[in-house]
């Protein structure tokens, strides 16, 4: 890791405390060259003055809103356990009576459940958890540096017990790997049992572009050896998708139809823009003054 002194933190209501990640997810779009990383992805850039910048920004805001993090890089990478920058930022969000929402794959978020519950009791807090596969063994292959799906389910349960609403990112679904009806059933089952409010799904597939494509293909060679047809999974991807940005499952329509059916059956909101709108809605409550002491 390396430390930097950042100039800004919010753009306009979202922040990234860390730049880079150690989760090692084989499909990570944040590795793409378009994001112009000037350092190795695993050499994580730490914005050491993030809490101070956040406090300055919130003090100036005339209208309270939801403050989000995690859209680019997970705020609960292992470094956070020792650095505690995310917790300090949540303390500031709580002090100034803003809302908070975060996206993570890590159970380290449980450390801050007290703060998230406090924020939610006053305004609104939403925990967004990424689940890609109901199979823990497969999860360890494609997301090797983070807790398996069953543990993330326990995090969702803990949020429910604390009264904190949750959203599941069911993405990406990797063609020829976890684009199956049984996987959809497993994830939805987890969501039902954990009382998840909504599922975000961008379709059955993944995106590949320069930077993350090469990393993904190298991972396929390492983790998914040649099958009985003597065609490797990498070769199958190359033959099927070429250099396409969007790599959709051949079964996308039927699987999305099945996912929508299950969500209607269990009263789970499914979508993208509609779910984002719900997440970003700040509760219409009487204005509160910051806690100065």
């Amino acid at each position: 890791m390396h430390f930097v002194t950042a100039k800004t933190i919010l753009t306009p209501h979202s922040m990234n405390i860390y730049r880079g990640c150690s989760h090692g997810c084989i499909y990570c779009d944040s590795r793409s060259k378009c994001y112009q990383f000037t350092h190795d992805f695993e050499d994580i850039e730490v914005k050491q003055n993030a809490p101070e910048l956040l406090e300055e920004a919130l003090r100036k805001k005339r209208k309270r809103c939801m403050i989000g993090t995690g859209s680019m890089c997970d705020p609960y990478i292992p470094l956070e356990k020792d650095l505690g920058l995310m917790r300090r930022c949540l303390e500031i969000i709580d002090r100034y009576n803003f809302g908070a929402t975060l996206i993570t794959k890590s159970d380290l978020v449980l450390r801050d459940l007290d703060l998230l519950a406090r924020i939610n009791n006053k305004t609104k807090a939403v925990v967004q958890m990424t689940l890609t596969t109901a199979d823990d063994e497969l999860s360890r292959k494609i997301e090797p540096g983070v807790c398996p799906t069953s543990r993330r389910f326990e995090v969702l349960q803990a949020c429910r017990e604390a009264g904190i609403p949750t959203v599941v990112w069911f993405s990406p679904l990797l063609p020829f790997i976890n684009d199956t009806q049984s996987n959809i059933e497993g994830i939805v089952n987890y969501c039902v049992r954990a009382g998840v409010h909504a599922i975000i799904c961008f379709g059955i597939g993944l995106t590949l572009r320069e930077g993350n494509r090469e990393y993904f293909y190298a991972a396929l060679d390492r983790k998914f050896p040649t099958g009985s047809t003597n065609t490797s999974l990498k070769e199958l991807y190359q033959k099927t998708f070429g250099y396409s940005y969007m790599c959709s499952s051949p079964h996308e329509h039927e699987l999305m139809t099945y996912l929508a059916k299950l969500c209607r059956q269990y009263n789970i909101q499914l979508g993208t823009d509609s779910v984002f709108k719900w997440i970003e809605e700040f509760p219409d409550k009487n204005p509160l003054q910051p806690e100065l002491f």
Side-chain angles (χ1 to χ4, degrees), residues 5-141:
T5 300
K7 295 181 179 180
T8 59
I9 194 68
L10 290 181
T11 55
H13 308 308
S14 181
M15 63 181 179
N16 283 292
I17 301 168
Y18 303 106
R19 197 158 189 259
C21 189
S22 55
H23 288 342
C25 303
I26 69 172
Y27 49 74
C28 182
D29 177 70
S30 294
R31 293 180 180 275
S32 300
K33 286 190 175 181
C34 65
Y35 297 115
Q36 300 179 334
F37 273 76
T38 57
H39 54 87
D40 290 340
F41 194 68
E42 286 77 13
D43 177 20
I44 297 163
E45 180 180 285
V46 179
K47 297 176 184 178
Q48 59 187 347
N49 60 330
E52 291 79 10
L53 288 174
L54 178 64
E55 182 159 19
E56 181 183 3
L58 296 191
R59 188 186 296 120
K60 294 177 180 178
K61 278 190 176 292
R62 299 181 65 181
K63 186 176 180 180
R64 291 179 299 147
C65 60
M66 299 293 291
I67 304 298
T69 188
S71 59
M72 181 71 179
C73 297
D74 197 316
Y76 286 105
I77 54 177
L79 285 176
E80 168 62 20
K81 184 175 182 180
D82 295 322
L83 297 177
L85 293 176
M86 180 61 185
R87 183 168 181 88
R88 287 176 59 193
C89 286
L90 286 175
E91 289 171 343
I92 292 164
I93 291 169
D94 174 40
R95 187 181 312 138
Y96 285 85
N97 300 302
F98 280 71
T101 182
L102 59 93
I103 307 169
T104 186
K105 291 187 181 82
S106 174
D107 58 355
L108 183 55
V109 66
L110 292 175
R111 180 201 64 186
D112 296 338
L113 213 58
D114 60 330
L115 273 172
L116 289 165
R118 180 180 165 115
I119 292 168
N120 191 56
N121 287 338
K122 291 194 296 183
T123 57
K124 181 180 177 182
V126 181
V127 171
Q128 304 173 61
M129 180 69 70
T130 299
L131 305 180
T132 61
T133 172
D135 182 339
D136 276 1
E137 184 177 349
L138 179 58
S139 174
R140 292 185 181 98
K141 277 188 176 183

Side-chain angles (χ1 to χ4, degrees), residues 131-158:
L131 305 180
T132 61
T133 172
D135 182 339
D136 276 1
E137 184 177 349
L138 179 58
S139 174
R140 292 185 181 98
K141 277 188 176 183
I142 65 176
E143 303 153 340
V146 68
C147 61
T149 304
S150 59
R151 177 58 175 161
R152 286 176 242 172
F153 163 64
E154 292 174 352
V155 173
L156 292 170
Q157 285 185 308

